[in-house]
Amino acid sequence: MEIFRTRLRCKKPFRIATGVSDQCEGILVKLTTDGGAAGWGEASPDPYLTGETMDGVVSLLVHDLFPVVRGLSPWQLEEIHRRMAAACVANPSARCAIDLACHDLIARQAGVSLVSFLGGSSGRVLTNYSIGLCTAEEAAKEARRIIESGYRAVKLKVGNDPEEDYARVKAVRSSIGPEVPLRIDANEGWTYSQALRALTRIEPFGVELIEQPIARWDYEGMARLRERVTPPIAADEGVHSPRDAARAIAAGAVDIINIKLMKSGGLYPARSIVAQARAHGVALMVGGMVGESRLAVSAATALAAAYRFEFADLDADLLLAEDAVAEGGVTLDGSERVLPDLPGLGVQKLDESRLTSEAQPLPR
Ligand SMILES: [Mg+2]
């Protein structure tokens, strides 16, 4: 295992209900087998979302996760995840880095793209583009620019102030016209009563879905909201793991689950969330963390493409001014993310000038 840190500049500071990002740090992991085959993974730690830090993830990878999976075949995904789960609770982005590297490696060994490896047929996914928290006028202008540059769906951040949220949704809807799908995301920013009122007031503007209107732990509140408002309710912060998905579905809290590989612990656990959602008629959305590089976004695109997710918010790398991937990986065609028909994640070359090597793991 080799570990690299990345620091990529954002195009402009991106503000949501819980904070602002302008520089994005991440971790790339390269796993090499004794036969010389290699695969790449990524961790994008977020103290607010998963409780992880950069230093914590590096330390965990070196001292706790890699030592328990070293010696296994990368094809032994069940055993790899069993051992990682026994080595530490939570820390999903650290587990994700190893999971993605294993998937990249074994799909490459199979000579197929990750989409094919997962059983999918097409590597194309329609994505929205996100607008951070800003004034109603700025949001309307940005929304128009987004549609003019070819996107066919808009996601708008709300949740800082119910009055401003109302004005923002109204302004964006009138700037993009009645047909373009408009998704909103409150990032837990509303109380239950604020959410009830806000979602009732914006009903005329036809939002396609509301992501995480209230606190992540309040499944009961989400279930009550579902009965009282029109827009379908998506859990993001509220569902990380397959177990969270089971509880949210059982509580009647979700119409949609937003899967992020950094929350689920990678593709293998994500597939369990997919299976549960499909079995219960819950729709699926894919997302990413601000600052994920094109490598992680390629993996998320493959997941959404393979299982035909209803909604995709695959713009994490598009918010960045710099790119860790030099060749290959997912691209953008209008409003669609498109994966190359190449083995594994389809990433052929990393930009080494953007990678800082970490100390090698010490033997135990
Ligand atoms: Mg969200």
Side-chain angles (χ1 to χ4, degrees), residues 49-315:
L49 188 65
T50 69
E52 297 168 286
T53 61
M54 291 285 292
D55 291 343
V57 165
V58 169
S59 172
L60 197 74
L61 283 167
V62 170
H63 298 294
D64 301 283
L65 295 181
F66 184 64
V68 300
V69 302
R70 179 169 41 201
L72 294 176
S73 156
W75 291 82
Q76 291 174 278
L77 293 167
E78 173 70 21
E79 182 65 17
I80 288 167
H81 276 279
R82 192 179 290 270
R83 291 191 188 185
M84 289 198 294
C88 71
V89 297
N91 290 283
S93 87
R95 286 184 278 125
C96 175
I98 288 184
D99 171 278
L100 294 189
C102 289
H103 277 89
D104 186 30
L105 223 166
I106 61 186
R108 281 174 195 270
Q109 285 184 335
V112 297
S113 70
L114 183 56
V115 173
S116 296
F117 185 86
L118 295 173
S121 356
S122 151
R124 299 180 81 92
V125 178
L126 181 85
T127 184
N128 60 238
Y129 191 88
S130 301
I131 305 173
L133 290 177
C134 55
T135 67
E137 296 70 44
E138 286 166 346
K141 204 171 138 202
E142 173 77 347
R144 206 167 311 120
R145 188 195 65 77
I146 289 168
I147 297 305
E148 278 164 9
S149 60
Y151 290 96
R152 304 206 298 274
V154 173
K155 176 167 153 179
L156 177 67
K157 291 290 186 180
V158 294
N160 62 333
D161 175 283
E163 285 305 319
E164 285 178 32
D165 293 335
Y166 176 82
R168 239 188 322 259
V169 174
K170 184 179 180 191
V172 168
R173 177 48 88 200
S174 78
S175 100
I176 60 178
E179 304 295 332
V180 176
L182 173 59
R183 303 158 186 176
I184 59 174
D185 185 355
N187 290 104
E188 315 180 274
W190 291 327
T191 63
Y192 174 83
S193 51
Q194 285 174 333
L196 183 59
R197 179 167 154 78
L199 293 170
T200 307
R201 282 182 82 200
I202 63 170
E203 205 179 304
F205 309 131
V207 303
E208 190 182 28
L209 62 87
I210 166 70
E211 232 180 288
Q212 205 63 50
I214 58 176
R216 66 182 75 187
W217 46 264
D218 192 1
Y219 290 169
E220 193 265 326
M222 285 170 70
R224 274 189 293 149
L225 273 182
R226 277 185 74 212
E227 288 173 4
R228 291 174 199 190
V229 300
T230 320
I233 299 203
D236 178 3
E237 287 87 340
V239 173
H240 291 212
S241 64
R243 204 173 297 148
D244 295 338
R247 287 180 45 244
I249 292 169
V254 287
D255 296 292
I256 302 154
I257 293 175
N258 183 343
I259 298 181
K260 293 177 179 166
L261 296 170
M262 299 303 158
K263 295 186 297 178
S264 67
L267 290 159
Y268 191 75
R271 286 154 67 184
S272 163
I273 301 175
V274 170
Q276 295 183 62
R278 291 300 180 225
H280 290 92
V282 168
L284 288 164
M285 178 170 189
V286 70
M289 322 283 272
V290 175
E292 265 178 31
S293 85
R294 215 144 56 76
L295 189 123
V297 176
S298 297
T301 303
L303 178 75
Y307 296 111
R308 296 171 179 254
F309 282 25
E310 285 80 1
F311 308 101
D313 178 20
L314 290 167
D315 61 6

